């Protein structure tokens, strides 16, 4: 097992350097940079532009910029945001925290709902409940998250027009006068605003995960050892949850690696549609502004978390399936 762990860790080193260099190179392939926009400002002199390019190393070849950035990265310095005039980590972190308000509860709710639905669909295959859940799953797979968010906003506004009561906010993270509220009410206000984004983000993912769980359970229930267990007279509950379910969830262990980067990657276009001040709108603004070090810094943090998550997934897979460590 120790040899397997060391081998997996060694694989991460070339992966890290290769992925970061590729990301840095792709970012550099975009025409111009943030300072190019300043050249259009008549108040900014060419001497100032040249000084800023020299200060941030933007006048050097791409490989030198990459090495300079990596040197700063090893000192836990992600760089400097041109647009916000602040270190990248200070700019990114508040947005990451805002996204976690949606992502963490939606991830927990996703697994609590999707896995039981998938198990039910496999155990009650082709029943009325399974057909209804399958239909809803196909609808969920076909509707993108941003459109689902728009539907939720429309429904809430229609309810408000007819009743005069806004059940949940349709945009933003806080109410007006948020700063004057006591700490407990501030948390409750954020939670009130987060209900709809959490439900939308969860509903969009439940369909795919529940179908995957259903397929895995059906495959396992058709195995010979399940028929043998039933032939021995084991209770159906023991057959389903001790033998079938434990083997059906093994592929889900491999998906745990994506949970760590998803914690900081935000809720996608749900944040954009519902004006949630998370990482997705911020990252899109950074791309539009060609804020080089913000883009590279966020991608690097996501890469590191993905590598750590994949390592944890590999170790868990080797633990639940000993055959893997000997491959």
């Amino acid at each position: 097992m120790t040899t397997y762990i060391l081998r997996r860790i060694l694989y991460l080193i070339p992966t890290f350097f290769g992925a970061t260099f590729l990301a840095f190179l792709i970012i550099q392939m975009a025409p111009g940079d943030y300072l190019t926009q300043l050249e259009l400002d008549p108040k900014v002199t060419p001497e100032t532009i040249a000084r800023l390019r020299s200060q941030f190393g933007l006048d050097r070849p791409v490989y030198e910029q990459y090495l300079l950035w990596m040197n700063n990265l090893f000192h836990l310095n992600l760089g400097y945001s041109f647009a916000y005039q602040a270190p990248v980590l200070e700019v990114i972190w508040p947005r990451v925290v805002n996204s976690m308000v949606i992502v963490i509860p939606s991830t927990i709710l996703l697994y609590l709902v999707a896995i039981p639905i998938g198990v039910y669909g496999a155990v009650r295959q082709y029943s009325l409940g399974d057909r209804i859940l399958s239909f809803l799953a196909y609808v969920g797979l076909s509707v993108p998250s941003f459109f689902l968010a728009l539907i939720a906003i429309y429904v809430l506004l229609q309810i408000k027009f007819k009743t005069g009561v806004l059940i949940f906010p349709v945009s933003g993270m806080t109410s007006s006068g948020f700063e004057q509220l006591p700490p407990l009410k501030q948390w409750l206000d954020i939670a009130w605003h987060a209900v709809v984004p959490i439900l939308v983000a969860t509903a969009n993912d439940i369909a795919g995960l529940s179908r995957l769980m259903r397929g895995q359970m059906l495959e396992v229930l058709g195995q010979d050892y399940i028929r043998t267990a039933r032939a021995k007279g084991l209770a159906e509950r023991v057959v389903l949850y001790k033998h079938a379910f434990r083997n059906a969830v093994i592929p889900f262990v491999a998906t745990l690696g994506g949970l760590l980067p998803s914690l900081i990657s935000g809720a996608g276009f749900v944040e954009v549609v519902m004006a949630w001040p998370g990482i997705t709108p911020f990252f899109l603004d950074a791309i539009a502004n060609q804020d080089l070090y913000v883009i590279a810094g966020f991608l690097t943090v996501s890469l590191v978390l993905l590598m750590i998550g994949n390592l944890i997934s590999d170790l868990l897979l080797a633990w639940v399936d000993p055959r893997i460590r000997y491959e």
Side-chain angles (χ1 to χ4, degrees):
M1 187 67 176
T2 303
T3 304
Y4 175 79
I5 295 174
L6 292 176
R7 187 169 67 249
R8 300 304 301 173
I9 293 176
L10 289 176
Y11 287 161
L12 297 180
I13 298 175
T15 302
F16 174 78
F17 285 104
T20 52
F21 180 74
L22 183 61
F24 197 85
L25 183 62
I26 293 174
I27 295 171
Q28 290 284 0
M29 290 175 64
D33 52 35
Y34 181 79
L35 296 181
T36 304
Q37 304 175 36
L38 294 182
E39 294 176 354
L40 303 176
D41 190 346
K43 298 179 181 179
V44 181
T45 63
E47 292 77 12
T48 301
I49 298 294
R51 178 176 55 81
L52 290 174
R53 287 191 182 279
S54 176
Q55 177 182 347
F56 294 106
L58 298 179
D59 56 346
R60 302 182 183 183
V62 175
Y63 72 90
E64 289 189 16
Q65 294 185 44
Y66 173 74
L67 293 176
L68 178 63
W69 176 64
M70 287 300 297
N71 179 63
N72 293 330
L73 189 62
F74 288 139
H75 292 84
L76 301 181
N77 179 11
L78 296 179
Y80 194 80
S81 170
F82 302 124
Y84 292 88
Q85 299 294 304
V88 170
L89 190 60
E90 293 182 8
V91 176
I92 288 181
W93 182 246
R95 275 78 176 181
V96 171
V97 173
N98 292 344
S99 291
M100 286 184 177
V101 174
I102 296 178
V103 175
I104 292 178
S106 66
T107 302
I108 296 173
L109 185 61
L110 169 65
Y111 281 89
L112 289 178
V113 175
I115 290 180
I117 289 177
V119 173
Y120 173 84
V123 176
R124 301 286 189 269
Q125 188 180 15
Y126 302 134
S127 65
L128 178 61
D130 178 42
R131 294 180 186 276
I132 294 175
L133 292 174
S134 296
F135 172 77
L136 294 176
Y138 288 128
V139 172
L141 288 172
S142 63
V143 178
S145 60
F146 72 89
F147 189 72
L148 193 60
L150 290 174
I151 294 175
I153 293 174
Y154 174 79
V155 171
L156 289 173
L157 290 179
Q158 289 298 313
I159 294 175
K160 181 184 178 181
F161 293 151
K162 293 182 178 179
T163 64
V165 178
L166 183 61
I167 302 176
F168 294 106
V170 295
S171 66
M173 182 177 172
T174 58
S175 305
S176 58
F178 175 80
E179 293 77 9
Q180 285 73 41
L181 296 175
L184 178 59
K185 290 188 176 181
Q186 287 183 346
W187 280 102
L188 293 176
D189 185 61
I190 294 175
W192 184 47
H193 283 75
V195 170
V196 176
I198 289 172
L199 293 178
V200 171
T202 304
N204 190 249
D205 294 331
I206 282 178
L209 191 63
S210 62
R211 297 302 296 175
L212 178 61
M213 186 67 221
R214 180 180 182 274
Q216 287 297 130
M217 278 293 292
L218 286 175
E219 181 180 352
V220 173
L221 288 173
Q223 298 296 319
D224 291 337
Y225 69 89
I226 296 296
R227 287 192 290 268
T228 303
R230 285 171 171 163
K232 289 182 176 180
L234 294 179
E236 187 67 13
R237 181 183 181 87
V238 176
V239 173
L240 290 178
Y241 296 104
K242 184 177 180 180
H243 296 281
F245 180 74
R246 289 180 61 181
N247 288 283
V249 297
I250 289 179
F252 287 87
V253 176
T255 66
L256 295 178
L259 292 181
L260 284 180
S262 69
L263 295 180
I264 71 164
S265 61
F269 287 104
V270 174
E271 295 180 345
V272 178
V273 173
M274 308 203 73
W276 188 270
I279 196 64
T280 302
F282 172 74
F283 188 63
L284 294 176
D285 289 340
I287 294 175
N289 294 326
Q290 293 183 299
D291 206 344
L292 167 65
Y293 296 115
V294 170
I295 302 172
F298 176 74
L299 292 177
T300 301
V301 174
S302 300
L303 171 65
V304 171
L305 291 177
L306 180 60
M307 291 167 56
I308 295 174
N310 285 336
L311 178 61
I312 295 173
S313 296
D314 290 340
L315 298 180
L316 290 176
L317 282 172
W319 178 61
V320 298
D321 190 353
R323 296 171 297 176
I324 295 177
R325 70 186 73 166
Y326 297 113
E327 293 180 353

